[in-house]
Amino acid sequence: MSVEQVAVYMTELGQKARKASRVIARTPTAVKNAALLATAEAIEAAAERLVAANELDLQAGRDNGLDDAMLDRLALTPARLAGMVEGLRQVAALPDPVGAIRDMKFLPSGIQVGKMRVPLGVIGIIYESRPNVTVEAASLCLKSGNACILRGGSESIHSNRAIAECLREGLAAAGLPNEVVQVVETTDRAAVGALITMPEYVDVIVPRGGKGLIERISKDARVPVIKHLDGICHVYVDDRADFDKAEAIVINAKTHRYGVCNAMETLLVNEAVAEPFLKRVAPLYAAKGVELRGCAATCALLPEVVAATEEDWSTEYLAPILSIRVVADMDAAIEHINTYSSQHTDAMVSEDYTRARRFIAEVDSSSVMINASTRFADGFEYGLGAEIGISTDKIHARGPVGLEGLTSEKYVVFGDGHIRQ
């Protein structure tokens, strides 16, 4: 397609999505759930066809020199297909936020005022490699009463087209228009540029992928973006910490999984307990192959540690590398976190309740934890059932974004012939 043809195509998708958004916004919960469950059945029935389409993508990826990690993310294994089906059924079982009214109260004028939860409208989702995101994103948008336009990576185009057929089957079975969920058919990058600059048709963009993708979307979009750039997460071990709890937390936060946004990247330790605590955990990190980079005080205590640079404090490693800094007190820890954190997730280990309250109040991140691993920063772990992603922004949604995060609120007013005096 030429750039002009892509623009026309994307405009058509936007127009159809806007029209479909008005249908899905008023669709009863039972009908939305029926569409989700029918899609699950369609995916089960089409397993062989999905695997065959996925193999086309995998072979193209091998031919184009994709690395093993990318090929792994691209693969639709039997376990991932089963996960897609189970995910659809789980979303169908979640409470529907749409239409919920809260804080109804009578005012002196006699009117009754409250807030009702409503869909955002049309959501554009841009993501890379993992074709199962197509189902995850579509299911959350559908349940929250939104139409969506999904633009996956070019490397997964055959898989996404096959999954889109299952989504259309599910929508048709529930009597809903196909345009409620649209998968962009072209791999032309101009489609992304068009999608993020159509405020008349798209209400919000959700990018899911590497930092480069998200930076580009954030810079060029003309519609609001729900996103986080990176996850530079900290754990501060206070001088009033329980060492057994602290050890379990800092090992889990770093080594449970390395390539995730809620993994700890910097460990802060109060100077009063730095020597015994660091000498306790350093061998545990060494046994797991974690490279330690530390401040001067850390290096003095642990000769095997590499000297940290200024860049280390603001780096998301996504790898078995950990920065360590010894700090004078909690104030110094908070200052470091608010300077270098990406406002994703930061934690404190302490038995001092007063300090814990201060830490929660003063650390400016989307998730702040006391005596818990940063790995809990996840929609499923927070009881949301599922998430579209994590937002570090401060307006609209912050932290893990589930069904409620894909809605907003409007005021509703009830009167009985009331007029303003």
Side-chain angles (χ1 to χ4, degrees):
M1 286 188 183
S2 66
V3 174
E4 292 77 14
Q5 289 172 320
V6 170
V8 170
Y9 170 66
M10 293 304 295
T11 297
E12 290 175 352
L13 290 188
Q15 291 171 337
K16 292 175 181 177
R18 177 61 74 206
K19 184 177 180 179
S21 71
R22 299 188 179 103
V23 175
I24 193 64
R26 63 175 184 264
T27 297
T29 303
V31 176
K32 293 188 287 188
N33 288 343
L36 293 168
L37 295 175
T39 301
E41 292 178 3
I43 289 174
E44 283 184 319
E48 290 186 8
R49 177 161 49 86
L50 292 173
V51 169
N54 185 240
E55 182 54 39
L56 294 175
D57 291 327
L58 289 171
Q59 187 56 55
R62 297 184 198 104
D63 294 342
N64 291 328
L66 291 185
D67 60 33
D68 289 342
M70 180 69 84
L71 289 171
D72 178 66
R73 288 195 291 273
L74 184 56
L76 281 180
T77 63
R80 287 177 184 168
L81 285 170
M84 288 160 57
V85 170
E86 180 60 25
L88 284 160
R89 290 174 176 155
Q90 287 178 357
V91 172
L94 293 173
D96 187 347
V98 178
I101 298 177
R102 68 178 179 92
D103 296 341
M104 288 298 295
K105 55 192 174 185
F106 283 100
L107 296 182
S109 64
I111 62 171
Q112 193 177 11
V113 179
K115 291 181 178 179
M116 185 170 76
R117 196 149 286 282
V118 295
L120 295 176
V122 177
I123 300 176
I125 302 175
I126 300 164
Y127 51 103
E128 299 171 330
S129 62
R130 295 197 302 125
N132 49 318
V133 171
T134 303
V135 169
E136 293 174 8
S139 65
L140 290 169
C141 290
L142 174 60
K143 183 63 180 267
S144 57
N146 296 287
C148 63
I149 300 174
L150 309 177
R151 203 286 185 178
S154 58
E155 66 279 1
S156 58
I157 186 64
H158 296 96
S159 304
N160 287 336
R161 284 172 177 166
I163 291 170
E165 289 182 28
C166 296
L167 289 164
R168 285 192 288 269
E169 287 181 35
L171 290 167
L176 293 172
N178 288 340
E179 293 78 15
V180 167
V181 179
Q182 297 180 92
V183 175
V184 176
E185 291 283 339
T186 178
T187 60
D188 195 311
R189 290 191 176 186
V192 173
L195 182 60
I196 64 177
T197 54
M198 299 195 303
E200 64 272 37
Y201 304 124
V202 180
D203 296 290
V204 67
I205 293 288
V206 181
R208 294 183 57 168
K211 187 175 181 179
L213 169 72
I214 296 171
E215 283 182 330
R216 180 211 162 180
I217 300 302
S218 302
K219 174 176 174 288
D220 296 340
R222 287 175 48 207
V223 295
V225 179
I226 296 177
K227 52 77 173 69
H228 75 272
L229 285 175
D230 45 21
I232 303 171
C233 304
H234 300 76
V235 176
Y236 165 57
V237 177
D238 190 43
D239 59 326
R240 296 184 184 176
D242 178 299
F243 270 26
D244 290 337
K245 293 179 186 177
E247 175 189 309
I249 288 168
V250 303
I251 295 301
N252 179 264
K254 183 64 214 179
T255 68
H256 184 248
R257 283 182 66 190
Y258 295 114
V260 289
C261 60
N262 56 13
M264 172 181 64
E265 304 291 23
T266 298
L267 170 62
L268 304 172
V269 184
N270 188 292
E271 63 183 8
V273 297
E275 182 170 7
F277 184 73
L278 289 177
K279 289 186 175 180
R280 174 171 173 164
V281 298
L284 302 178
Y285 283 127
K288 292 179 177 289
V290 178
E291 176 188 331
L292 303 180
R293 301 179 183 179
C295 65
T298 303
C299 291
L301 293 171
L302 304 172
E304 70 273 21
V305 172
V306 176
T309 65
E310 178 66 21
E311 184 180 1
D312 282 310
W313 309 126
S314 54
T315 297
E316 181 186 28
Y317 298 116
L318 299 174
I321 304 171
L322 176 67
S323 297
I324 303 176
R325 182 171 235 169
V326 175
V327 294
D329 51 26
M330 187 180 73
D331 287 334
I334 292 173
E335 177 65 25
H336 178 101
I337 291 170
N338 286 341
T339 299
Y340 296 102
S341 170
S342 60
Q343 300 184 320
H344 189 295
T345 303
D346 297 292
M348 174 184 184
V349 186
S350 180
E351 298 301 302
D352 189 315
Y353 180 75
T354 302
R355 290 186 186 179
R357 288 287 299 270
R358 268 197 61 209
F359 187 86
I360 286 176
E362 295 180 24
V363 169
D364 187 21
S365 297
S366 64
S367 287
V368 184
M369 303 181 172
I370 302 297
N371 294 330
S373 169
T374 58
R375 287 285 291 123
F376 281 109
D378 173 85
F380 182 79
E381 295 292 343
Y382 282 7
L384 304 182
E387 67 174 43
I388 200 81
I390 290 179
S391 170
T392 54
D393 294 327
K394 297 186 181 182
I395 295 177
H396 177 60
R398 197 176 194 198
V401 180
L403 291 175
E404 189 170 293
L406 295 177
T407 63
S408 63
E409 290 182 312
K410 65 182 177 184
Y411 280 96
V412 292
V413 179
F414 291 92
D416 187 18
H418 289 78
I419 60 173
R420 185 170 177 176
Q421 302 297 328

